[in-house]
C-alpha cells in the first residue's frame, strides 16, 4: 500500500479536479457546454484515427496473449486455482462490463441506425436493418472487452504475481520500478481517478435518463429535470449508505440475481417476439460480424466528416476507456487463478457471442415491428435512445409486466454499479487500501452524483459524450504503455527467470 501522504495527495488533487468541473458546470453551464463541444469536435476531427488504431491494437494484443507463447501463464501463482466456477465467473464478467450499456443501447442503437443509416442505405430498408445490427454488435463485441482486458491484466499481474498495491500505477512497475510510489505513479493515479469518475458519471447519467423514461412509460410520471434530480438523489442515498455501512454482500447478491432477470427478459423477447425472424438473424449477424471485423476495426472516414464516428464509435471507445479502470479492477479481482488463454476466451469471446443474441433479440424485434405495420418506433428511438427498450417491450404480449421488469433491471444495475464504483474510487484514492475511509467513500459518491447531474442537465447525452471523449484521450496513451509493461513482465517471467511451467512456453 502506498504511504498515507502520497495517497492523500492523490485523493485531494483528483477530488479538486472533479469538483472544479462540477463548479464550472454550476456557475457557467453554457460556457462549459460550448468549450467541451469545441474540444470534442476538434479531437474527433484530428485524432479520431488514434482512437480507432489504439483500440485495434488492444484487440491484437489480447489475441496474442490468449494464443501466443504465454497463453498458459496464470493470473496469480502457478499453484493457484480459480476462486469461482467458470459459469459464475462468466456471469460476473457480463454483469460488470455491460449491464448498464446493453440495457440502454440494446434496442436504442439498432433502431437509431435503422432510422438514420450513415452509409447510403435507405432508411427502413433491409440493408439498413442488417447494417444496424452489425454496427451495434461491433460496438459492443470484442473491442470494448479488449479494453477491459488490458487494464484487468495489468492490475492482475501487478497484484497477484508481484504483491503490489491494487492501483493502476502498479501495472507500470516493469517500466517505472519504484517510481510508481513517487510523483510519476501519483500522476498516473490522478489521471485514472479523474477519467474513471467521468466514465462512471456518464453511465450514471444514462441510467438516470432510462429510469426516468421508464417511470414515464410505465406509470405516466412526467419525465423532466425534476424527476432526474429525484432519481439521482434517491440512488445516491442508497449507494452511499451501502458503501459506508458494509452492505456490499447484499449488493453483490442483487447484481448476480439481476442476471437472472436479464435472462428472463431476453428469453421473453426471443419467444414472444418474431422468433423465426430473430433466430435467422442471430447466425446471419454473427457471420457478418466475423467477416467484417478486420475492416470495421480500422474503419475511418477520411473522405467525409467524422460526425457519425464521433457520435457512435469514437464515443463508445472513449467512454469504455474511461470506464475501464473500474471494470478492469473488478475483472482482475474475480479472475485470479485463470490462465491467459482461459481469461481471453472468457473475457473476449463469450461476452461477444452473448452480445449478438442480446442486440438481435431487442434491436431485431424493434426493427421487425417497424417494418411490419408499427411505424414510429425507430424515429422516436433515434430522437431518445433511452426509450427504445420500453417501446419494444410494450409491443410484446404482457408488455406492461415486461416493462416493469426492465425498470427493475435498470434500477438494480444502476445502484449496484454506482456502489461498486464508489468503492473502487475509494481504493484508488487511498493508496490501494481495501478498506477506504467512510469520508473518502462519501466524497466520491457525492462527486459522482454531482458531475452526473451537471452533465445531464447542461448537455444531456451529448454533453456526457463530449466529456467522456475528452477525458479518455490521455488515458488511452497510458493503456498503450500498459501493454508494453504487461509484455515486459511476461517476457521476464516466462523466458528469463522461468517462473512458469515449461508447458507455458512454445
Amino acid at each position: 500500500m502506498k504511504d498515507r501522504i502520497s495517497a492523500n495527495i492523490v485523493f485531494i488533487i483528483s477530488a479538486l479536479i472533479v469538483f472544479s468541473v462540477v463548479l464550472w458546470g454550476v456557475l457557467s453551464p453554457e460556457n462549459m457546454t460550448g468549450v467541451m463541444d469545441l474540444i470534442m469536435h476538434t479531437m474527433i476531427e484530428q485524432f479520431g484515427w488514434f482512437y480507432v488504431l489504439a483500440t485495434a491494437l488492444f484487440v491484437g494484443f489480447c489475441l496474442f496473449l490468449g494464443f501466443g507463447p504465454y497463453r498458459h501463464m496464470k493470473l496469480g501463482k502457478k499453484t493457484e486455482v480459480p476462486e469461482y466456477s467458470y459459469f459464475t465467473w462468466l456471469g460476473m464478467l457480463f454483469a460488470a462490463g455491460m449491464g448498464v450499456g446493453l440495457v440502454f443501447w440494446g434496442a436504442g442503437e439498432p433502431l437509431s441506425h435503422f432510422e438514420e443509416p450513415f452509409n447510403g442505405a435507405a432508411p427502413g430498408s433491409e440493408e439498413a436493418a442488417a447494417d444496424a445490427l452489425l454496427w451495434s454488435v461491433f460496438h459492443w463485441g470484442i473491442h470494448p472487452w479488449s479494453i477491459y482486458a488490458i487494464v484487468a491484466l495489468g492490475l492482475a499481474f501487478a497484484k497477484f504475481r508481484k504483491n503490489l498495491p491494487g492501483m493502476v500505477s502498479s501495472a507500470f512497475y516493469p517500466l517505472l520500478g519504484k517510481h510508481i510510489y513517487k510523483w510519476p505513479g501519483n500522476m498516473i493515479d490522478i489521471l485514472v481517478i479523474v477519467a474513471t469518475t467521468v466514465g462512471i458519471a456518464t453511465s450514471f447519467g444514462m441510467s438516470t435518463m432510462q429510469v426516468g423514461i421508464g417511470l414515464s412509460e410505465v406509470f405516466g410520471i412526467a419525465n423532466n429535470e425534476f424527476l432526474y434530480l429525484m432519481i439521482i438523489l434517491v440512488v445516491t442515498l442508497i449507494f452511499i449508505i451501502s458503501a459506508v455501512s458494509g452492505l456490499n454482500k447484499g449488493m453483490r447478491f442483487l447484481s448476480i440475481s439481476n442476471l437472472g432477470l436479464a435472462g428472463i427478459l431476453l428469453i421473453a423477447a426471443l419467444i414472444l417476439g418474431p422468433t423465426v425472424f430473430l433466430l435467422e438473424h442471430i447466425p446471419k449477424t454473427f457471420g457478418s460480424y466475423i467477416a467484417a471485423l478486420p475492416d470495421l476495426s480500422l474503419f475511418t472516414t477520411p473522405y467525409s466528416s467524422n460526425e457519425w464516428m464521433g457520435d457512435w464509435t469514437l464515443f463508445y471507445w472513449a467512454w469504455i476507456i474511461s470506464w475501464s479502470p473500474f471494470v478492469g479492477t473488478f475483472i482482475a479481482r474475480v479472475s485470479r487463478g485463470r490462465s491467459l488463454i482461459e481469461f481471453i476466451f472468457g473475457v473476449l469471446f463469450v461476452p461477444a457471442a452473448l452480445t449478438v443474441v442480446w442486440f438481435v433479440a431487442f434491436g431485431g424485434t424493434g426493427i421487425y415491428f417497424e417494418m411490419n405495420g408499427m411505424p414510429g418506433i425507430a424515429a422516436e428511438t433515434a430522437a431518445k435512445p433511452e426509450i427504445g427498450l420500453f417501446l419494444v417491450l410494450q409491443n410484446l404480449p404482457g408488455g406492461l409486466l415486461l416493462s416493469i421488469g426492465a425498470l427493475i433491471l435498470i434500477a438494480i444495475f444502476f445502484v449496484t454499479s454506482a456502489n461498486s464504483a464508489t468503492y473502487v474510487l475509494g481504493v484508488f484514492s487511498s493508496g490501494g487500501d481495501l478498506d477506504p475511509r467512510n469520508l473518502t467513500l462519501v466524497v466520491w459518491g457525492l462527486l459522482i452524483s454531482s458531475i452526473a447531474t451537471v452533465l445531464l442537465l447542461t448537455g444531456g447525452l451529448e454533453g456526457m459524450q463530449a466529456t467522456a471523449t475528452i477525458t479518455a484521450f490521455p488515458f488511452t496513451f497510458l493503456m498503450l504503455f500498459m501493454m508494453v509493461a504487461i509484455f515486459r513482465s511476461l517476457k521476464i517471467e516466462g523466458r528469463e527467470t522461468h517462473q512458469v511451467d515449461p508447458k507455458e512456453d512454445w
Side-chain angles (χ1 to χ4, degrees):
M1 189 172 69
K2 291 190 175 183
D3 65 83
R4 177 57 61 184
I5 295 177
S6 179
N8 286 339
I9 290 173
V10 170
F11 170 63
I12 292 170
I13 294 178
S14 54
L16 285 175
I17 292 173
V18 175
F19 180 72
S20 298
V21 175
V22 173
L23 200 60
W24 183 18
V26 171
L27 297 179
S28 185
E30 292 183 1
N31 178 262
M32 176 183 174
T33 302
V35 171
M36 288 292 190
D37 284 344
L38 177 62
I39 296 174
M40 182 191 72
H41 286 104
T42 301
M43 286 181 59
I44 288 172
E45 290 298 325
Q46 301 300 321
F47 298 104
W49 61 270
F50 172 71
Y51 276 121
V52 171
L53 184 59
T55 309
L57 288 173
F58 298 151
V59 174
F61 185 64
C62 285
L63 295 177
F64 166 75
L65 295 180
F67 301 101
Y70 308 111
R71 62 190 180 278
H72 295 296
M73 185 176 284
K74 285 188 175 181
L75 305 183
K77 306 301 181 184
K78 290 187 293 183
T79 57
E80 283 189 289
V81 295
E83 182 179 353
Y84 303 98
S85 71
Y86 196 72
F87 289 105
T88 300
W89 176 61
L90 290 176
M92 294 171 75
L93 294 180
F94 199 72
M98 292 296 174
V100 171
L102 285 187
V103 174
F104 189 95
W105 293 108
E109 182 174 355
L111 286 169
S112 296
H113 297 328
F114 181 65
E115 176 69 14
E116 300 174 355
F118 86 103
N119 61 347
S125 65
E126 292 183 10
E127 182 184 0
D131 284 347
L133 292 172
L134 174 61
W135 276 103
S136 300
V137 169
F138 169 65
H139 287 149
W140 292 91
I142 290 175
H143 284 67
W145 284 97
S146 71
I147 295 170
Y148 296 146
I150 298 294
V151 179
L153 288 171
L155 288 167
F157 277 111
K159 181 67 176 176
F160 303 143
R161 293 189 78 105
K162 299 299 184 183
N163 294 318
L164 294 170
M167 310 284 292
V168 174
S169 57
S170 297
F172 293 87
Y173 187 85
L175 301 180
L176 298 177
K178 293 184 178 180
H179 288 287
I180 65 168
Y181 300 107
K182 301 177 182 179
W183 71 264
N186 291 342
M187 292 295 293
I188 290 172
D189 291 329
I190 290 169
L191 177 58
V192 166
I193 291 170
V194 173
T196 305
T197 304
V198 172
I200 293 166
T202 301
S203 298
F204 201 109
M206 288 167 53
S207 294
T208 301
M209 294 170 66
Q210 198 166 33
V211 170
I213 202 71
L215 291 172
S216 177
E217 291 294 312
V218 175
F219 300 110
I221 300 173
N223 185 34
N224 51 35
E225 292 183 352
F226 177 76
L227 179 60
Y228 289 163
L229 290 173
M230 291 299 100
I231 293 169
I232 290 175
L233 177 62
V234 171
V235 171
T236 301
L237 288 173
I238 292 173
F239 77 75
I240 288 181
I241 291 172
S242 170
V244 302
S245 63
L247 297 177
N248 295 316
K249 287 186 178 180
M251 285 292 169
R252 284 196 292 269
F253 173 77
L254 282 177
S255 182
I256 297 300
S257 300
N258 216 29
L259 288 176
L261 181 54
I264 292 172
L265 286 177
L266 178 61
I267 294 171
L270 290 172
I271 294 177
L272 301 177
T275 304
V276 175
F277 177 84
L278 299 179
L279 293 179
E280 289 179 343
H281 258 288
I282 289 173
K284 172 181 171 58
T285 303
F286 186 79
S288 299
Y289 174 56
I290 296 300
L293 190 59
D295 183 53
L296 294 178
S297 298
L298 298 171
F299 182 83
T300 56
T301 54
Y303 302 108
S304 62
S305 168
N306 275 344
E307 183 178 355
W308 187 91
M309 289 283 291
D311 288 343
W312 294 101
T313 306
L314 302 183
F315 160 63
Y316 279 138
W317 296 171
W319 173 38
I320 290 164
I321 287 170
S322 64
W323 174 257
S324 63
F326 160 56
V327 179
T329 299
F330 178 81
I331 292 176
R333 167 64 185 84
V334 300
S335 300
R336 186 170 189 168
R338 301 281 174 190
S339 66
L340 277 175
I341 187 171
E342 199 176 14
F343 177 87
I344 294 301
F345 182 79
V347 173
L348 259 65
F349 299 120
V350 174
L354 291 173
T355 296
V356 172
V357 178
W358 185 273
F359 274 97
V360 169
F362 294 102
T365 299
I367 288 172
Y368 180 87
F369 287 157
E370 183 74 22
M371 297 178 73
N372 290 273
M374 297 182 187
I377 294 177
E380 192 169 353
T381 301
K384 294 190 297 183
E386 63 271 21
I387 201 174
L389 176 64
F390 294 100
L391 293 179
V392 170
L393 294 177
Q394 286 171 5
N395 285 284
L396 294 174
L400 177 60
L401 185 61
L402 292 174
S403 295
I404 293 174
L407 190 56
I408 295 171
L409 178 74
I410 297 162
I412 295 176
F413 271 139
F414 191 178
V415 173
T416 54
S417 296
N419 175 77
S420 300
T422 301
Y423 172 75
V424 169
L425 286 173
V427 172
F428 283 171
S429 57
S430 301
D433 186 353
L434 297 180
D435 188 22
R437 294 172 297 177
N438 285 344
L439 176 62
T440 303
L441 296 174
V442 170
V443 168
W444 285 118
L446 293 175
L447 285 175
I448 291 171
S449 299
S450 298
I451 197 168
T453 302
V454 167
L455 294 176
L456 187 60
L457 299 185
T458 58
L461 184 58
E462 292 78 11
M464 291 184 281
Q465 287 176 324
T467 309
T469 303
I470 295 167
T471 54
F473 186 69
F475 187 65
T476 309
F477 287 95
L478 282 183
M479 288 192 62
L480 293 171
F481 284 112
M482 193 182 294
M483 288 197 306
V484 177
I486 293 170
F487 179 74
R488 186 170 181 178
S489 178
L490 288 169
K491 184 176 180 181
I492 292 171
E493 288 202 48
R495 292 188 182 275
E496 295 181 13
T497 61
H498 301 290
Q499 294 180 14
V500 295
D501 294 333
K503 71 176 183 179
E504 294 182 338
D505 212 338
W506 285 119

